[in-house]
Amino acid sequence: MSRQQLETRITHDKAGKRLDAVLADAFSDYSRTRIQDWIKAGNVTLDGQIQTKPNFKVFGDEKVQCHAELEDEVDFIAQDIELDIVYEDDDILVINKPAGLVVHPGAGNPDGTLLNALLYHYEAIREVPRAGIVHRLDKETTGLMVVAKTVPAQTHLVEQLQRHAVERVYDAIVVGKMISGGTISNAIGRHPTDRKRMAVLKIGGKPATSHYRVLERFREHTHVRVQLETGRTHQIRVHMAYLGFPLLGDPVYGGRLRIPQQMMPEFVDYLRGFKRQALHAGQLSLTHPKTAKKMKWKTPMPDDMLALVDILRDDMEDFKATRLSDMGYDDYDYDKEDHGVEVEWVTDADIPSE
């Protein structure tokens, strides 16, 4: 536990305002929730007198002393785990997380996590609660994450997340032929009978909104892009499954694997062997906590998802070729630009498109 001494004098224009609100303005590098905890713990004095009520109305001109306590990660070890660093400066770190990397130690994963890697990469991050981690990706989800390297940066990033100012865009391969995009705003909470799962709840839960659009359709699957407005646990996985389009490979919410008819055996084997949810956080944008500059990063889908998309495209092409051959039309040109949605006819026959 690291400690800092914060001091200020409350101005007269703050008279009648709540103590926690006044201190949140005065010590803007720290969240109001954290300041409330310090007040309740007896770490704040007004003119030398301890004040433990966050809603105490100040009079103005009081001298404030705050003994700020900041949790650190002393219980976790630093481990030399390779990080794919997309961007880094004195305040933030953006990484491209691979599949299989757990973000934070927990039951069943005492070490070997992103947090352990961060402690090794930047020793001073030990002084930042949770080693600067402000949001998470599931173990088998890949893509971009931002990490705060200082307490002020962490406070500002958390505030942006709370007001939905951080843009997070994901690529997903879902099971089923989605017709069009849309928005789903259904609350998410713990499953009523299986506490290891999340679920859409009609009563209770936390508000959750996901915006999605179709990028590409295959025979029995769809490539969609999802933008999060909120960030609930398993949000995309739960919302897509609720819509009837679970993520391909999702071991928790995926349901039965759907194999297109007459798919080549090697393609079938790849689908059966895809054991993680096909989900990638490919775009991240936010306001830099110190410079206030808007920043944006993109990273392509990992190799396993790119191969998955190629297989689904090739399967669609092969299937169309087989159908045309069965109809007696072998001379055609497949329009890959439309990813299997249209067929460009080059024979002299007047054949209507599907």
Side-chain angles (χ1 to χ4, degrees), residues 5-6 8-10 19 23 38-54 56-59 61-67:
Q5 181 78 8
L6 306 176
T8 189
R9 183 170 290 278
I10 299 174
L19 176 61
L23 296 189
W38 292 337
I39 296 172
K40 293 175 183 178
N43 293 339
V44 174
T45 62
L46 299 181
D47 291 333
Q49 300 296 313
I50 294 175
Q51 178 54 252
T52 60
K53 295 182 178 180
F56 175 79
K57 301 297 192 298
V58 302
F59 296 96
D61 199 38
E62 296 101 323
K63 180 181 179 181
V64 177
Q65 288 185 318
C66 179
H67 304 280

Side-chain angles (χ1 to χ4, degrees), residues 2-14:
S2 58
R3 292 175 172 83
Q4 295 186 31
Q5 181 78 8
L6 306 176
E7 294 185 2
T8 189
R9 183 170 290 278
I10 299 174
T11 57
H12 288 288
D13 63 307
K14 302 294 185 182

Side-chain angles (χ1 to χ4, degrees), residues 93-158:
L93 177 72
V94 178
I95 66 161
N96 182 20
K97 190 188 86 67
L101 180 63
V102 175
V103 171
H104 196 281
N109 298 285
D111 55 22
T113 69
L114 172 62
L115 184 144
N116 300 107
L118 291 170
L119 293 176
Y120 184 90
H121 173 74
Y122 183 61
E123 185 177 0
I125 209 168
R126 188 178 292 276
E127 300 178 4
V128 184
R130 296 175 301 281
I133 296 170
V134 295
H135 68 117
R136 302 188 185 192
L137 294 177
D138 295 335
K139 176 182 178 181
E140 300 299 343
T141 298
T142 60
L144 297 171
M145 288 182 60
V146 62
V147 176
K149 295 176 68 176
T150 67
V151 172
Q154 185 185 52
T155 299
H156 286 282
L157 289 175
V158 168

Side-chain angles (χ1 to χ4, degrees), residues 35 173 184 201 237 295 311:
I35 289 171
I173 309 300
I184 175 171
L201 301 179
R237 299 165 65 186
M295 305 186 76
I311 283 173

